[in-house]
């Protein structure tokens, strides 16, 4: 969902365009390829298939899920942050929450095909490492939006 067509916007919705941009998708594929290869001790070819299937799942479902996870933040923790600091929706803590919440959702969605297709057991450690990979890539997209708002 593009913020252009929304009546109400929040950081996660605003960041979604950058997260789905070709440079961020390409960067995500490269970064996560190495995470998958190392975590599951698989060949380059297998890691490529894991990476593509994982990112297809998080890309398709995440387009709606990431903005909704940001909305969940806004109506829970975000309300508290806004009241305590007397800030609006687009505050520094909300921007930090985007990669944390979006990264967690992406990690869940990306590990799902690995569990269902390749029958790998998903451990807490696997989840945390894939979450970290997603925090890195979503942070880059979010930082770009936060520092270049006129471009979007």
């Amino acid at each position: 969902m593009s913020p252009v067509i929304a009546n109400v916007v929040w950081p996660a919705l605003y960041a979604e365009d950058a997260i789905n941009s070709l440079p961020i998708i390409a960067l995500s594929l490269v970064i996560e390829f190495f995470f998958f290869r190392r975590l599951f001790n698989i060949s380059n070819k297998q890691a490529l298939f894991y990476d593509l299937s994982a990112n297809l799942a998080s890309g398709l479902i995440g387009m709606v899920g990431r903005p909704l996870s940001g909305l969940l933040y806004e109506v829970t923790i975000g309300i508290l942050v806004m009241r305590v600091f007397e800030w609006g929706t687009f505050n520094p803590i909300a921007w930090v929450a985007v990669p944390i919440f979006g990264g967690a959702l992406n990690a869940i969605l990306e590990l799902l095909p690995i569990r269902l297709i390749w029958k790998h057991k998903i451990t807490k450690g696997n989840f945390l490492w894939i979450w970290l990979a997603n925090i890195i890539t979503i942070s880059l997209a979010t930082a770009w939006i936060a520092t270049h708002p006129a471009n979007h």
Side-chain angles (χ1 to χ4, degrees):
M1 178 182 310
S2 172
V4 174
I5 61 171
N7 290 329
V8 178
V9 294
W10 57 95
L13 177 61
Y14 200 67
E16 192 61 26
D17 280 344
I19 292 167
N20 288 318
S21 69
L22 193 55
I24 295 298
I25 292 170
L27 187 61
S28 296
L29 288 169
V30 170
I31 290 171
E32 291 176 16
F33 170 85
F34 293 104
F35 275 81
F36 286 123
R37 188 169 183 275
R38 177 86 170 135
L39 283 174
F40 296 105
N41 195 27
I42 54 179
S43 70
N44 286 340
K45 184 178 177 181
Q46 287 175 302
L48 179 63
F49 285 118
Y50 281 39
D51 196 13
L52 292 174
S53 66
N55 280 282
L56 182 62
S58 70
L60 293 175
I61 301 169
M63 274 191 242
V64 174
R66 281 184 303 269
L68 290 177
S69 73
L71 183 57
L72 178 63
Y73 163 84
E74 291 295 333
V75 300
T76 56
I77 301 166
I79 290 173
L80 178 63
V81 168
M82 288 185 270
R83 285 188 182 156
V84 169
F85 296 103
E86 297 182 4
W87 287 339
T89 299
F90 288 86
N91 64 69
I93 296 173
W95 283 110
V96 169
V98 170
I100 293 170
F101 281 72
L105 179 64
N106 274 6
I108 292 166
L109 295 173
E110 289 178 2
L111 289 170
L112 191 61
I114 291 166
R115 174 71 180 117
L116 296 175
I117 297 169
W118 289 281
K119 310 294 186 212
H120 274 283
K121 180 180 179 187
I122 304 306
T123 66
K124 184 178 178 180
N126 294 139
F127 172 78
L128 292 174
W129 281 109
I130 297 301
W131 187 11
L132 175 63
N134 280 284
I135 286 173
I136 291 167
T137 56
I138 294 175
S139 292
L140 294 171
T142 303
W144 180 257
I145 291 292
T147 58
H148 297 83
N151 296 336
H152 299 278

